[in-house]
Amino acid sequence: MDYYVTQEMSLMEKLGILGDAAKYDVACTSSGVDRKGDGTGIGNAVKAGICHSFSADGRCMSLLKILFTNECIYDCKYCINRRSNDVPRASFTPEEVCRLTIEFYRRNYIEGLFLSSGILYNPTFTMELIYQTVYKLRTEYRFQGYIHIKAIPGADPEVVQKAGFLVDRMSINLELPTAEGLRNLAPNKHRKSILTPMRQIQTGITRNKEELTVYKKAPSFVPAGQSTQMIIGATPENDYQILSVAQDLYDKFDLKRVFYSAFVHVNEDKALPVLPGGPPLLREHRLYQADWLLRYYKFRADELLSLEKPNFNVLLDPKADWALRHLEQFPVEINRADYETILRVPGIGVKSAGRIIRARRNGNLGFEDLKKLGVVLKRALYFITCSGRMMYKTKLEEDYITRNLLDKRQKLPFSSDGITYRQLSLFDDMNFVQDAGEGIKPISALQ
Amino acid sequence: MEEIIVICEDSEDGIFTAVYEVYARKYPLETVRIQTGEEGNLRLFARYEKIATDREKAEKVRRTLWKRFGEGACEDISYALSTQDEEKGQAVFETIREGLSGKIKGHLMDALGYCGIRKVFELSRSAHHEKHRWEEFLRFQEMDGGILAARINPKCLILPFLMPHFSDRFPLENFLIYDTVRNLAGIHPAKKEWFLVRECPEDILNSMILSEKEAELREMFAYFCEKAAIESRKNRDLQRQMMPLRFRDFMTEFQKNL
Ligand code: SF4
């Protein structure tokens, strides 16, 4: 295969440019697959994933996240690598990517490779380059660690298919929550060309699962599932719209994860909003919390938000916010309620709920026990009883509980000096969102 | 009733031997306390019994636990015993005592209403956590001859749990992990089984020299890490919270002397 290689550049310089260019993709997890090494190569994979470092912005770094090239024929308005930008360009060779991956992996710097790319010449050509690279890495270098690649929208489905048999995870970014948003900011991309390969991968995974039940040694296809990413705050969708899209992706496309990426202003462009408070991090944080509730707590998007209340509470996490609006369902009796009900209590997580169910088989639990089981009592105490008794005399009243929960100053993952400023700016961009109010369009309706 | 304080060596074999003796000598179980290491504050109305470690007896206990409680509980007990906690011997003893009594329904380690079991559960969780942290943050350096070497300074004795992870990952590598707190080395020769060396002098590491390409690789990784942060999201507090400073001593990307 023949393409332009930036010869004069050192590997270090390329790594600088192509690592820098890849950082706006937020996914860096190495989870979803358990695989032992087979003794003939290097690497294995651990279901929960392993982080190896945390960057200065506090994000987990698990994979060598790089672009194959930052050359691009497209011109997405929000992207630093768009065609119209004058930035230094570089491309790796498959050999270079393999060497970097192996050398970093041997030192336990990384869990594997996350390879994405700008569009070089055309989507199929680009996908082929990605395929060649991971093929080399898996066969020549016998690498058995984690690999996540991007499927390039519009690429020949056959190349996507071939690549799927070599990697653990694939993702195609939805980029923006609605087709309108996409039209405005990513004129070369279309909702359909994004959803088509997503469907292809989903079908591939389902079929592969069936094959694996018949024949255990069948090669596995994207065993860690597929994920996607939406940019938050570049277009005027509200939280309800975004979360409904996520719900649809989980329901209809069996996605493993949806990632949310607070819009980072890198290009001057009149089509892009100016967010004086910086990226809407708190909003992004609330979306992750809510996403967690969809995936592990069996909440539905329309339980958490609605047309009348389309945005998350800035001060309370979505679970506490939901509980406060459904006080008629509380208090919950810890020694009798079922798992699903206990799971919905603020301050009780998936792990502690499971422990409660198992531990109470050997006798009733009290508040002291709950604390030891990992329940955050200062949050849960308003919503539970143990053997009919509440922990303290408290009122089951929205304002009262809200005040108390807020007094505890729940810790947001932002530097202490940044909080007030960012909260204010979040209110700002929420106004901006409300002006543009429009109904929710499920993805299926857009197809 | 008079308390019987059983003193044993601070090791899995030591504590299991003590458990064995408690049952063999038919001590009244409720009056026994198992204590590791020194005698500490002598209690007035207590009898002290020192027990010497006996591998065979320990092995018998291990087999019984495996048979009666299953793999999960045995793993929790092992992890709990890898911690520094002074109460760990007693907690493990109580867990075994409750388990053998036959009154626990379901899995032993689910019965968190019992103090001893809960303690073992908590200790195991913290040791697991530390092991996981080292799986994340341990860094190998390539030495002359292609040998990979890493130093760790863990609070718990996690090296025996760490070795299988890396051996599965690097079957073709010669590597060694050195616990600087305990002078304990885990050694994995390429294509062979790993083993531990006790009282291994740190000089073995100090005498090795870095491979030729090591400096460049380190620099590349540090450069990559720097590039991976998004300026407008910088948040050092969050970084510190996720990656406590104590791990950074040995981490390539935080070493200044590149
Ligand atoms: S396709 Fe769009 S988002 Fe991707 S690199 Fe090109 S310009 Fe950027």
Side-chain angles (χ1 to χ4, degrees):
Chain A
M1 187 176 285
D2 144 72
Y3 55 94
Y4 177 69
V5 181
T6 33
Q7 301 259 334
E8 338 58 64
M9 226 180 249
S10 72
L11 194 54
M12 178 89 85
E13 283 169 290
K14 288 189 189 183
L15 181 62
I17 293 171
L18 295 167
D20 192 82
K23 71 185 172 194
Y24 300 99
D25 216 300
V26 289
C28 199
T29 53
S30 53
S31 56
V33 61
D34 246 328
R35 177 174 55 237
K36 290 232 166 269
D38 69 2
T40 69
I42 174 169
N44 60 17
V46 181
K47 186 110 191 170
I50 298 181
C51 277
H52 285 278
S53 197
F54 289 87
S55 58
D57 52 23
R59 293 186 303 162
C60 152
M61 296 172 62
S62 181
L63 304 170
L64 171 62
K65 184 163 58 180
I66 47 177
L67 298 191
F68 188 87
T69 177
N70 66 340
E71 306 274 359
C72 193
I73 55 169
Y74 288 171
D75 208 39
C76 308
K77 302 214 160 104
Y78 47 83
C79 175
I80 186 97
N81 305 312
R82 63 182 184 176
R83 186 185 57 217
S84 54
N85 273 10
D86 181 20
V87 293
R89 307 275 173 177
S91 302
F92 282 122
T93 64
E95 179 70 32
E96 286 169 334
V97 174
C98 292
R99 259 172 36 220
L100 273 177
T101 308
I102 297 288
E103 292 301 345
F104 280 11
Y105 192 84
R106 288 177 74 220
R107 288 161 177 79
N108 208 36
Y109 295 167
I110 55 170
E111 238 355 65
L113 173 67
F114 180 176
L115 190 59
S116 176
S117 185
I119 314 293
L120 188 63
Y121 304 153
N122 60 58
T124 300
F125 187 85
T126 312
M127 195 68 226
E128 185 71 32
L129 282 174
I130 292 178
Y131 167 73
Q132 294 294 348
T133 309
V134 292
Y135 181 79
K136 201 180 187 62
L137 190 57
R138 283 285 194 230
T139 54
E140 239 172 81
Y141 288 84
R142 301 209 55 78
F143 179 68
Q144 294 158 18
Y146 198 88
I147 301 182
H148 176 170
I149 60 169
K150 280 266 124 88
I152 308 290
D156 179 353
E158 224 169 278
V159 192
V160 174
Q161 190 75 9
K162 285 195 294 188
F165 280 106
L166 296 173
V167 303
D168 295 295
R169 170 163 291 181
M170 268 185 159
S171 59
I172 302 157
N173 286 351
L174 199 61
E175 308 290 11
L176 297 156
T178 58
E180 291 91 311
L182 206 58
R183 243 193 319 278
N184 291 336
L185 296 188
N188 309 96
K189 290 183 179 166
H190 306 284
R191 195 57 166 230
K192 190 157 171 282
S193 60
I194 292 172
L195 294 178
T196 306
M198 222 182 240
R199 183 68 83 199
Q200 183 200 344
I201 296 168
Q202 178 196 21
T203 315
I205 294 173
T206 318
R207 199 174 303 144
N208 185 236
K209 279 198 184 129
E210 288 161 10
E211 281 164 12
L212 284 168
T213 52
V214 183
Y215 179 54
K216 261 194 144 145
K217 291 211 174 95
S220 54
F221 182 83
V222 197
Q226 64 172 328
S227 62
T228 193
Q229 163 175 317
M230 285 186 261
I231 302 168
I232 303 308
T235 41
E237 295 87 2
N238 58 40
D239 293 344
Y240 183 35
Q241 284 176 294
I242 295 169
L243 200 66
S244 302
V245 170
Q247 175 100 64
D248 262 351
L249 290 168
Y250 289 129
D251 289 352
K252 305 203 172 104
F253 288 82
D254 299 328
L255 285 207
K256 255 292 183 341
R257 284 293 300 271
V258 174
F259 291 94
Y260 309 88
S261 168
F263 171 62
V264 178
H265 199 95
V266 290
N267 295 329
E268 286 313 320
D269 197 308
K270 57 183 184 321
L272 296 172
V274 178
L275 305 177
L281 294 177
L282 181 56
R283 192 173 171 206
E284 177 195 277
H285 180 60
R286 290 281 179 254
L287 280 163
Y288 275 115
Q289 289 177 316
D291 186 86
W292 201 258
L293 296 180
L294 299 186
R295 287 185 297 134
Y296 295 108
Y297 292 74
K298 301 191 184 146
F299 276 95
R300 308 284 306 168
D302 54 15
E303 286 184 277
L304 299 171
L305 295 169
S306 62
L307 284 174
E308 294 73 46
K309 184 184 178 300
N311 289 308
F312 286 112
N313 191 324
V314 180
L315 302 171
L316 286 172
D317 69 84
K319 195 179 175 193
D321 190 39
W322 173 85
L324 285 166
R325 284 182 289 114
H326 293 85
L327 286 178
E328 75 285 355
Q329 305 191 16
F330 296 100
V332 163
E333 169 53 45
I334 289 294
N335 289 304
R336 262 192 309 280
D338 61 15
Y339 175 74
E340 276 75 23
T341 309
I342 289 180
L343 205 51
R344 293 198 161 203
V345 175
I348 298 184
V350 174
K351 279 195 182 150
S352 41
R355 284 180 202 138
I356 289 171
I357 299 289
R358 294 191 299 268
R360 70 185 186 187
R361 279 187 217 141
N362 282 295
N364 277 351
L365 302 171
F367 289 100
E368 213 21 58
D369 298 318
L370 292 186
K371 200 165 149 192
K372 295 270 167 59
L373 298 187
V375 172
V376 186
L377 276 181
K378 63 178 183 192
R379 298 175 62 70
L381 70 92
Y382 305 98
F383 305 98
I384 55 174
T385 56
C386 282
S387 310
R389 286 222 304 276
M390 299 207 70
M391 190 166 168
Y392 307 118
K393 251 192 145 78
T394 77
K395 284 177 274 186
L396 202 56
E397 197 185 276
E398 187 174 343
D399 286 350
Y400 171 80
I401 301 177
T402 307
R403 248 191 339 269
N404 279 287
L405 287 180
L406 290 180
D407 271 349
K408 303 282 185 289
R409 291 214 118 202
Q410 60 154 325
K411 242 182 125 166
L412 297 167
F414 308 114
S415 55
S416 42
D417 56 317
I419 284 186
T420 35
Y421 184 58
R422 287 205 171 112
Q423 280 176 357
L424 283 174
S425 71
L426 188 80
F427 279 121
D428 293 342
D429 72 52
M430 283 199 156
N431 292 335
F432 160 61
V433 162
Q434 265 149 17
D435 291 340
E438 55 168 5
I440 308 296
K441 290 198 184 81
I443 289 189
S444 47
L446 298 166
Q447 269 186 295
Chain B
M1 213 189 283
E2 188 190 39
E3 231 184 336
I4 306 173
I5 299 186
V6 177
I7 308 229
C8 62
E9 186 191 73
D10 182 1
S11 71
E12 193 172 296
D13 279 348
I15 290 165
F16 283 174
T17 310
V19 171
Y20 181 92
E21 290 296 343
V22 167
Y23 281 90
R25 298 180 191 181
K26 300 205 163 50
Y27 290 155
L29 299 179
E30 297 299 327
T31 65
V32 169
R33 286 195 60 78
I34 291 189
Q35 193 175 306
T36 50
E38 290 310 299
E39 289 170 24
N41 285 337
L42 287 179
R43 291 201 219 182
L44 212 43
F45 300 102
R47 197 169 105 208
Y48 285 83
E49 297 284 348
K50 268 199 179 157
I51 305 250
T53 303
D54 179 325
R55 281 191 167 207
E56 263 171 47
K57 290 175 180 168
E59 199 46 46
K60 279 187 187 155
V61 170
R62 206 168 279 125
R63 275 203 300 272
T64 307
L65 299 185
W66 189 268
K67 234 179 24 233
R68 295 287 302 270
F69 308 148
E71 186 178 353
C74 288
E75 190 186 289
D76 277 324
I77 289 174
S78 278
Y79 271 89
L81 290 179
S82 76
T83 64
Q84 306 264 49
D85 196 282
E86 287 181 2
E87 301 285 321
K88 67 183 178 185
Q90 179 61 14
V92 165
F93 169 63
E94 283 175 25
T95 301
I96 296 174
R97 190 183 70 197
E98 307 299 356
L100 294 179
S101 75
K103 65 183 174 194
I104 307 279
K105 290 180 239 156
H107 287 292
L108 178 60
M109 293 310 296
D110 287 341
L112 295 173
Y114 292 91
C115 250
I117 298 177
R118 194 155 66 207
K119 177 92 187 182
V120 167
F121 165 79
E122 278 165 12
L123 292 177
S124 164
R125 193 168 48 168
S126 78
H128 266 101
H129 185 69
E130 175 158 40
K131 172 195 164 232
H132 187 68
R133 279 309 174 90
W134 284 108
E135 285 172 359
E136 299 177 321
F137 302 142
L138 174 150
R139 296 288 183 258
F140 285 108
Q141 293 187 314
E142 192 190 59
M143 302 298 180
D144 214 17
I147 297 170
L148 298 172
R151 280 184 172 81
I152 57 174
N153 56 357
K155 290 183 184 152
C156 306
L157 175 54
I158 45 114
L159 190 52
F161 304 118
L162 220 45
M163 287 305 287
H165 171 78
F166 286 107
S167 302
D168 182 65
R169 186 161 275 215
F170 303 128
L172 309 182
E173 302 278 1
N174 290 305
F175 71 82
L176 99 103
I177 301 173
Y178 189 83
D179 179 337
T180 59
V181 181
R182 296 167 185 82
N183 294 338
L184 185 67
I187 296 181
H188 177 272
K191 300 187 195 167
K192 297 215 177 76
E193 294 282 312
W194 62 271
F195 56 91
L196 294 176
V197 180
R198 263 183 253 253
E199 281 159 55
C200 177
E202 198 165 349
D203 284 350
I204 203 170
L205 268 172
N206 297 337
S207 64
M208 294 183 181
I209 49 170
L210 292 178
S211 79
E212 232 168 83
K213 56 182 179 195
E214 191 56 21
E216 193 195 347
L217 250 309
R218 268 206 215 183
E219 199 185 337
M220 281 217 254
F221 184 58
Y223 188 52
F224 172 72
C225 289
E226 190 191 306
K227 288 288 178 186
I230 296 177
E231 190 57 37
S232 55
R233 298 182 62 122
K234 277 223 168 131
N235 187 342
R236 292 282 180 191
D237 284 351
L238 183 57
Q239 184 191 31
R240 190 153 40 238
Q241 195 185 319
M242 304 307 287
M243 192 168 47
L245 294 169
R246 77 180 170 97
F247 288 96
R248 298 189 191 182
D249 293 357
F250 305 128
M251 288 174 74
T252 318
E253 59 273 37
F254 295 99
Q255 278 164 8
K256 294 279 173 281
N257 56 339
L258 285 176

